[in-house]
Amino acid sequence: MDNFNCNMIFLFSLVMFFFCYSHFVSAFEFQVGGNKDWVVPPANDTKIYNDWASENRFQVGDTLRFHYKKDSVMEVTEAEYKKCNSTRPNFFSNTGNTVYTFEHSGSFYFISGAAGHCERGQRMIVKVMVAEDEDSPSGGDAIKSSGAAVSPVGVSKLVLVQFVMSYVVASVMF
């Protein structure tokens, strides 16, 4: 009987672990523009990036991957976005393979830093949804990286601790 109780507690803990894991691990990487690179759009489709962004739901923790050649990507303020002003970016990368991670909700404004590209439609507004546990948008900056590697989203430390603790309790009690 004791063995049955121990197994049931372990099984319950395992189910709770996977429930919590699926709840906490929900970040995605988006290829900007879908299967297109970060390029100057055709003259008849200058809203291609904003159309793409509006078709997706972005959350805190999600990442954008920009692929491009002989260009750059910048995150700027709304005012700088409207003017296509690339002189004061909040973030700049010209590696050809840029990853940008959203650390808080709100609107993010991206433009190309290459002369004339923004004016020709190589720009995008991304709206990141408010997280359920986020009281208000924080003023912190997003985590930015230009490397090609993207680290996988791992298990929340809290979930892992809960799982280990429930296993230890089950082992000690039975």
Side-chain angles (χ1 to χ4, degrees):
M1 182 72 170
D2 287 335
N3 193 24
F4 176 76
N5 286 339
C6 183
N7 288 340
M8 289 303 291
I9 290 174
F10 178 74
L11 183 60
F12 176 75
S13 299
L14 195 59
V15 168
M16 290 304 295
F17 168 76
F18 285 113
F19 171 77
C20 292
Y21 177 79
S22 67
H23 177 72
F24 288 113
V25 179
S26 62
F28 292 99
E29 179 178 282
F30 294 87
Q31 172 67 40
V32 173
N35 58 0
K36 299 175 177 70
D37 285 344
W38 177 243
V39 297
V40 176
N44 63 345
D45 199 7
T46 59
K47 296 185 185 240
I48 189 171
Y49 294 112
N50 281 331
D51 289 345
W52 173 83
S54 68
E55 293 170 0
N56 291 290
R57 293 176 54 114
F58 301 96
Q59 298 182 29
V60 174
D62 287 347
T63 58
L64 294 180
R65 183 175 293 275
F66 294 82
H67 282 258
Y68 50 92
K69 295 179 182 171
K70 297 183 180 181
D71 206 327
S72 63
V73 61
M74 300 179 169
E75 191 266 323
V76 296
T77 65
E78 181 180 9
E80 303 301 308
Y81 174 87
K82 288 178 179 178
K83 298 176 193 171
C84 284
N85 185 353
S86 62
T87 59
R88 291 176 290 189
N90 298 324
F91 169 75
F92 169 81
S93 178
N94 63 355
T95 64
N97 189 26
T98 300
V99 176
Y100 188 97
T101 303
F102 299 111
E103 194 173 82
H104 60 87
S105 61
S107 296
F108 292 81
Y109 303 88
F110 297 94
I111 64 172
S112 167
H117 288 200
C118 178
E119 292 82 359
R120 292 172 30 207
Q122 193 176 353
R123 60 186 181 164
M124 173 178 66
I125 301 171
V126 174
K127 295 181 181 175
V128 177
M129 299 182 333
V130 175
E132 290 179 18
D133 59 346
E134 186 178 350
D135 293 334
S136 63
S138 68
D141 290 329
I143 299 169
K144 302 129 190 160
S145 136
S146 332
V150 178
S151 40
V153 178
V155 178
S156 167
K157 288 180 184 176
L158 177 61
V159 174
L160 186 58
V161 168
Q162 289 172 337
F163 176 71
V164 170
M165 290 301 291
S166 63
Y167 180 76
V168 169
V169 168
S171 299
V172 170
M173 289 179 64
F174 301 102

